[in-house]
């Protein structure tokens, strides 16, 4: 069976009147003379070019009215602000929690009849809770998602404050700190990681987020000092419970138990995490030495911060002969912390964040020597406030450094681990100070802190030496 040739009627009329016999093309591409349309002689076509077909939905998106796009952008920015404020409210609760310890420690010792070492068990239980939450956070986030883990952590805090507000026996009271530590670690890891993923003005947002912690720690001692003088001192934890309940409700309403990728997509941010499982995620995080260096530095930094805010009241009472109102010194410290995290942002940008942190650490060591050797109650209170101001910018610098240097695919999990380990430092270092003070007295607070600050300086040098200024992809 043979196929007969098919004759195609010409659509274009070539310039030449009689085309060659058997020609199969009706139009030749340059350098041959151009072809003209038979219907319209004035239009000249040099070549026929095929273009890809644009999908209908893409055409509709591109043809949207600019006002519609602008409205969508405003909606995303509004939703981003609401999410950011929700994360900040949790951080306010974290500051409120840590700021309560300073004024209440002397009263807890008196009520339960325990010394420095035994009362420091609340820090040990909190430390175990922080480590438990930090380790389990990566796996839980992969399995349950960002929104559910945040609510789970908040419910742990609600349970802990319910227990503490009843003034239970000391072992039960201490166990509540363990539960609270788990809740704080789960929320802190995810909240810090989420804020670090925001695109517009990330340094400023991280600074404000960290400053809100200082605001909570500033206001909490003002209330805790009043409750420490009342017969039912434990009712202070009802204020913590109220804040925790509000935190739980807002987390459910704003994030609606959704994974992080969905929450970020609602504000126009695409999550570029390409990890396939929690096991590969964990391996990548723990195989990165920069993550461990930053975690070790954060552990000591948060430890110094919470130790000063927690034990400084006892130091003023026992060593400087202060009055019961000395609890307000803790508020001054955390007030300086809050101010420093915002007011020194310009200085960090001007000289560079790495150098700025070295300068802050050296100045803090100098001021610690002043507190150690200058026996002035008012002078110590002022210097402690200045120390808080210099400590303030360090945490935002840590998060910003991680954001710039760590691979994006493990950024959220890494920041979560770093934050969780840092929260453990808020328990480990205060316990160490309390254990030493049990035998040598509270006058050892300053030399211990100076030693820890010296180690911090060396760790920061390793962090700067071991990491590049750009994030590896």
């Amino acid at each position: 069976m043979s196929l007969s040739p098919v004759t195609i009627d010409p659509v274009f009329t070539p310039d030449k009147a009689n085309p060659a016999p058997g020609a199969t093309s009706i139009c030749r591409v340059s350098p041959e003379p151009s072809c003209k349309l038979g219907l319209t002689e004035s239009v000249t076509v040099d070549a026929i070019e095929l273009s890809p077909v644009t999908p209908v939905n893409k055409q509709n998106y591109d043809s949207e009215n600019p006002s519609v796009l602008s409205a969508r952008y405003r909606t995303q920015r509004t939703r981003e602000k609401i999410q950011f404020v929700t994360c900040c409210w949790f951080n306010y609760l974290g500051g409120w929690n840590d700021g309560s310890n300073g004024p209440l420690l002397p009263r807890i010792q008196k009520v339960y009849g325990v010394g420095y070492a035994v009362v420091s068990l609340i820090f040990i239980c909190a430390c175990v809770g922080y480590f438990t939450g930090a380790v389990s956070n990566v796996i839980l986030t992969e399995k349950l998602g960002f929104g559910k883990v945040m609510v789970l952590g908040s419910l742990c805090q609600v349970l802990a404050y319910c227990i503490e507000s009843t003034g239970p026996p000391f072992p039960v009271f201490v166990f509540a700190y363990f539960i609270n530590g788990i809740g704080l670690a789960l929320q802190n890891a995810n909240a810090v990681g989420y804020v670090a993923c925001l695109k517009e003005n990330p340094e400023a947002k991280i600074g404000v987020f960290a400053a809100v912690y200082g605001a909570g720690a500033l206001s909490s001692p003002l209330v805790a000092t009043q409750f420490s003088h009342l017969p039912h001192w434990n009712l202070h934890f009802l204020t913590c419970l109220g804040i925790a309940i509000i935190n739980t409700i807002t987390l459910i309403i704003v994030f609606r138990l959704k994974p992080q990728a969905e929450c970020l997509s609602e504000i126009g941010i695409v999550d570029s995490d390409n990890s396939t499982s929690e096991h590969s995620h964990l391996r990548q995080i723990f195989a990165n030495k920069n993550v461990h260096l930053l975690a070790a530095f954060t552990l000591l930094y948060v430890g110094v911060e919470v130790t000063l805010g927690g034990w400084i009241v006892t130091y003023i009472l026992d060593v400087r002969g202060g009055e019961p109102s000395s609890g307000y010194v803790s508020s001054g410290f955390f007030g300086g912390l809050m101010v420093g995290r915002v007011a020194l942002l310009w200085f960090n940008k001007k000289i560079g964040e790495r150098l700025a942190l070295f300068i802050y650490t050296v100045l803090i060591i100098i001021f610690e020597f002043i507190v150690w050797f200058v026996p002035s109650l008012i002078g110590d209170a002022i210097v402690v406030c200045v120390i808080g101001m210099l400590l303030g910018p360090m945490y935002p610098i840590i998060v910003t450094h991680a954001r710039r240097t760590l691979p994006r695919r493990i950024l959220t999990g890494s920041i979560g681990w770093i934050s969780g380990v840092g929260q453990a430092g808020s328990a480990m270092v205060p316990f160490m100070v309390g254990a030493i003070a049990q035998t040598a007295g509270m006058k050892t607070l300053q030399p211990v802190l100076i030693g820890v600050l010296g180690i911090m300086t060396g760790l920061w040098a390793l962090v700067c030496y071991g990491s590049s200024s750009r994030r590896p992809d």
Side-chain angles (χ1 to χ4, degrees):
M1 178 178 180
S2 61
L3 298 175
S4 59
V6 179
T7 304
I8 302 176
D9 294 332
V11 177
F12 299 96
T13 303
D15 291 339
K16 295 180 181 180
N18 298 316
T24 60
S25 175
I26 59 175
C27 181
R28 292 193 180 94
V29 182
S30 181
E32 291 294 328
S34 60
C35 302
K36 299 180 181 178
L37 275 108
L39 298 177
T40 307
E41 293 295 327
S42 60
V43 179
T44 303
V45 179
D46 288 336
I48 300 175
E49 184 177 310
L50 296 177
S51 60
V53 178
T54 304
V56 175
N57 57 352
K58 179 65 176 175
Q59 293 174 359
N60 294 338
Y61 180 82
D62 291 339
S63 62
E64 281 189 11
N65 193 300
S67 62
V68 176
L69 297 177
S70 177
R72 177 183 298 157
Y73 177 81
R74 289 195 301 269
T75 301
Q76 290 176 345
R77 295 288 73 79
T78 301
R79 187 174 289 130
E80 178 182 327
K81 291 176 182 177
I82 295 174
Q83 293 179 354
F84 178 69
V85 171
T86 302
C87 291
C88 287
W89 180 254
F90 151 71
N91 217 26
Y92 181 86
L93 173 59
W96 183 280
N97 178 82
D98 292 344
S100 301
N101 292 327
L104 291 180
L105 276 178
R107 184 58 188 272
I108 294 173
Q109 287 181 268
K110 182 179 179 181
V111 170
Y112 291 108
V114 295
Y116 294 129
V118 177
V119 78
S120 295
L121 287 176
I122 64 176
F123 297 117
I124 283 294
C125 287
C127 179
V128 176
Y130 290 142
F131 267 120
T132 303
V135 172
S136 60
N137 169 69
V138 178
I139 298 177
L140 285 176
T141 303
E142 292 287 341
K143 291 185 177 299
L144 302 179
F146 164 80
K148 293 180 181 178
V149 173
M150 288 289 285
V151 173
L152 176 62
S154 181
L155 291 175
C156 287
Q157 285 195 279
V158 170
L159 175 60
Y161 292 136
C162 286
I163 297 173
E164 291 170 346
S165 63
T166 62
F170 189 71
V172 180
F173 184 77
V174 167
F175 180 72
Y177 273 81
F178 168 76
I179 300 174
N180 194 19
I182 294 177
L184 279 170
L186 291 176
Q187 292 176 92
N188 189 69
N190 284 279
V192 175
Y194 194 87
V195 173
C197 290
L198 302 180
K199 301 298 183 182
E200 295 186 1
N201 300 321
E203 291 83 3
K205 288 179 180 176
I206 292 171
V208 172
F209 174 78
V212 173
Y213 171 91
L218 164 66
S219 54
S220 176
L222 301 176
V223 178
T225 301
Q226 300 298 321
F227 276 99
S228 65
H229 303 316
L230 298 177
H232 298 288
W233 61 274
N234 50 291
L235 295 182
H236 168 75
F237 293 102
L238 289 179
T239 64
C240 304
L241 177 61
I243 300 175
I245 291 175
I246 296 174
N247 181 50
T248 304
I249 295 173
T250 54
L251 288 173
I252 294 174
I253 293 175
V254 173
F255 294 111
R256 289 165 289 173
L257 308 179
K258 292 184 178 181
Q260 177 172 292
E262 291 187 30
C263 296
L264 289 174
S265 66
E266 292 178 352
I267 59 176
I269 298 176
V270 178
D271 191 357
S272 59
D273 187 0
N274 297 321
S275 300
T276 57
S277 69
E278 67 270 14
H279 302 292
S280 63
H281 210 160
L282 282 171
R283 280 198 300 268
Q284 292 176 59
I285 291 173
F286 291 130
N288 193 306
K289 66 177 182 178
N290 293 329
V291 172
H292 300 299
L293 287 174
L294 283 170
F297 179 85
T298 307
L299 182 143
L300 296 181
Y301 161 73
V302 177
V304 169
E305 171 190 301
V306 177
T307 299
L308 260 174
W311 283 117
I312 192 61
V313 177
T314 306
Y315 177 85
I316 294 294
L317 289 172
D318 294 353
V319 179
R320 294 292 183 246
E323 299 177 354
S325 59
S326 299
Y328 298 120
V329 175
S330 181
S331 287
F333 168 75
F334 285 113
L337 191 83
M338 176 187 67
V339 172
R341 287 180 169 175
V342 177
L344 293 177
L345 283 173
W346 68 273
F347 184 75
N348 299 340
K349 293 182 179 180
K350 186 175 182 63
I351 69 170
E353 293 175 337
R354 296 183 179 185
L355 177 59
L357 198 144
F358 278 118
I359 294 175
Y360 296 147
T361 307
V362 172
L363 290 176
I364 291 170
I365 292 176
I366 294 174
F367 284 121
E368 284 292 341
F369 274 108
I370 294 176
V371 176
W372 187 3
F373 291 107
V374 178
S376 171
L377 181 60
I378 298 177
D380 288 351
I382 295 174
V383 172
V384 166
C385 181
V386 175
I387 291 175
M389 187 173 180
L390 295 173
L391 276 172
M394 290 189 180
Y395 192 77
I397 289 175
I398 295 168
V399 177
T400 302
H401 183 84
R403 186 178 183 274
R404 290 175 176 172
T405 59
L406 296 179
R408 186 180 295 278
R409 63 184 177 275
I410 63 170
L411 177 62
T412 302
S414 298
I415 290 180
W417 171 251
I418 292 168
S419 302
V421 173
Q423 288 294 328
S426 69
M428 187 184 73
V429 179
F431 172 78
M432 180 179 65
V433 170
I436 295 173
Q438 182 65 33
T439 57
M442 188 49 66
K443 62 180 180 295
T444 58
L445 173 64
Q446 305 308 323
V448 170
L449 288 177
I450 290 173
V452 175
L453 287 165
I455 298 174
M456 281 174 54
T457 306
L459 280 174
W460 185 247
L462 292 176
V463 168
C464 296
Y465 176 78
S467 60
S468 60
S469 59
R470 296 187 178 209
R471 175 193 290 115
D473 294 325

